[in-house]
Amino acid sequence: MSARRGERGALSPAVAILAVMIFWLAGLVIDGARQLSARSKAIAYAQEAARAGASGIDLNADQIEIDVKDAGARVDKYCARVRADDTTVTSCQATTLTREHIVVDVVLENQTTFLAMLSIDKLTAKGQGEAH
């Protein structure tokens, strides 16, 4: 059976468009999974930094309270170690530091693989940890 006039190669544009869509979807799945992993890592770092800070207890107080100065130093020390070990960490700091409460925020920049072809080079993952 021969091709009708004007119908020769009609499937080629559809295949090309479908291939691009499948490639884009694969990029979303792979880079999306990496982004979820980076967010989990940011939360874990933030929680550990908050715990490290909360271990600085004021032993001279009548009730158990956080020694703000010592807690800040402990958070900074933990964050410095994290930044040295993980180059994706762009920010790690205590945002709230009182005698009862510590909040630490961590930001990671996640390099993309497939989405970079669509001019999305980096994704930002944020995590927050608290200790009382």
Side-chain angles (χ1 to χ4, degrees):
M1 197 179 245
S2 64
R4 296 183 192 169
R5 284 184 196 240
E7 293 184 13
R8 187 172 183 188
L11 191 58
S12 296
V15 170
I17 291 170
L18 188 60
V20 169
M21 289 176 56
I22 289 172
F23 191 72
W24 188 73
L25 183 61
L28 283 177
V29 169
I30 292 169
D31 287 333
R34 287 183 181 166
Q35 180 66 7
L36 288 174
S37 175
R39 185 168 187 270
S40 295
K41 192 182 341 180
I43 291 170
Y45 286 153
Q47 289 174 342
E48 285 300 316
R51 282 189 205 110
S55 67
I57 298 172
D58 185 358
L59 299 174
N60 297 323
D62 293 336
Q63 294 182 341
I64 296 177
E65 293 179 337
I66 297 171
D67 181 349
V68 176
K69 187 176 180 181
D70 186 36
R74 287 172 185 261
V75 169
D76 291 342
K77 182 178 177 183
Y78 182 85
C79 287
R81 190 172 61 221
V82 165
R83 276 195 214 105
D85 292 342
D86 190 345
T87 58
T88 63
V89 176
T90 58
S91 174
C92 179
Q93 63 185 0
T95 54
T96 303
L97 188 54
T98 66
R99 296 182 78 62
E100 296 85 28
H101 190 77
I102 296 175
V103 177
V104 177
D105 289 333
V106 174
V107 178
L108 279 78
E109 279 194 358
N110 186 21
Q111 296 288 337
T112 60
T113 303
F114 289 95
L115 293 179
M117 295 176 198
L118 299 172
S119 298
I120 302 171
D121 297 329
K122 298 176 186 175
L123 296 174
T124 302
K126 298 178 181 180
Q128 188 175 72
E130 297 183 45
H132 304 274

